[in-house]
């Protein structure tokens, strides 16, 4: 996982972060340098489960906790991304609020 080496507050309510990460994590950005989301694993405080269905539990569902469901309605497309580190996998689902 990445670590923040330092921060600098700018005049226009923006903050510059100096981040260090290993090469494998950097390669998962696929060269993109904009629209990057920074998450802190220690800031995550809601738990959920994975539900297994079907023959031999072949279908797996990530359950959305009740605390996070209020703004979710049926959506045509949901983007998904998997970020792998040495010990964990992080799944990120992106739901467009405008299409709700």
């Amino acid at each position: 996982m990445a670590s923040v080496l330092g921060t600098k507050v700018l005049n226009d309510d923006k903050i510059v972060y100096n981040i260090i990460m290993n090469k494998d994590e950097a390669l998962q950005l696929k060269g993109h340098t904009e629209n990057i989301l920074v998450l802190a694993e220690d800031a995550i405080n809601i738990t959920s489960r994975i539900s297994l269905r079907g023959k031999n539990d072949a279908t797996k569902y990530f359950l959305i906790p009740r605390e996070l469901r209020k703004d979710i309605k049926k959506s045509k497309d949901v983007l998904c991304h998997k970020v792998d580190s040495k010990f964990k996998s992080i799944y990120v689902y992106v739901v467009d609020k405008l299409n709700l």
Side-chain angles (χ1 to χ4, degrees):
M1 294 278 167
S3 297
V4 175
L5 296 178
T7 61
K8 180 181 177 183
V9 179
L10 302 178
N11 290 336
D12 56 355
D13 292 330
K14 293 186 179 182
I15 300 173
V16 174
Y17 274 86
N18 292 319
I19 299 174
I20 187 168
M21 65 179 70
N22 64 35
K23 184 178 179 180
D24 292 336
E25 291 172 323
L27 289 173
Q28 290 185 58
L29 294 174
K30 298 179 182 178
H32 294 278
T33 59
E34 294 189 20
N35 296 321
I36 296 174
L37 177 65
V38 178
L39 301 170
E41 185 178 344
D42 294 337
I44 300 170
N45 59 4
I46 299 174
T47 60
S48 186
R49 297 179 299 129
I50 297 174
S51 178
L52 306 174
R53 298 281 193 266
K55 186 175 182 179
N56 299 323
D57 294 331
T59 303
K60 296 170 180 64
Y61 296 94
F62 287 94
L63 301 178
I64 300 171
R66 291 181 197 263
E67 301 95 322
L68 304 178
R69 290 186 202 168
K70 67 178 183 175
D71 293 332
I72 297 176
K73 295 184 174 54
K74 189 174 180 179
S75 178
K76 289 183 179 181
D77 294 316
V78 176
L79 298 175
C80 180
H81 185 69
K82 180 181 175 185
V83 179
D84 282 318
S85 70
K86 188 173 182 179
F87 299 106
K88 297 185 181 185
S89 292
I90 300 170
Y91 295 87
V92 179
Y93 289 87
V94 180
V95 180
D96 190 357
K97 286 185 174 184
L98 298 177
N99 288 339
L100 300 178

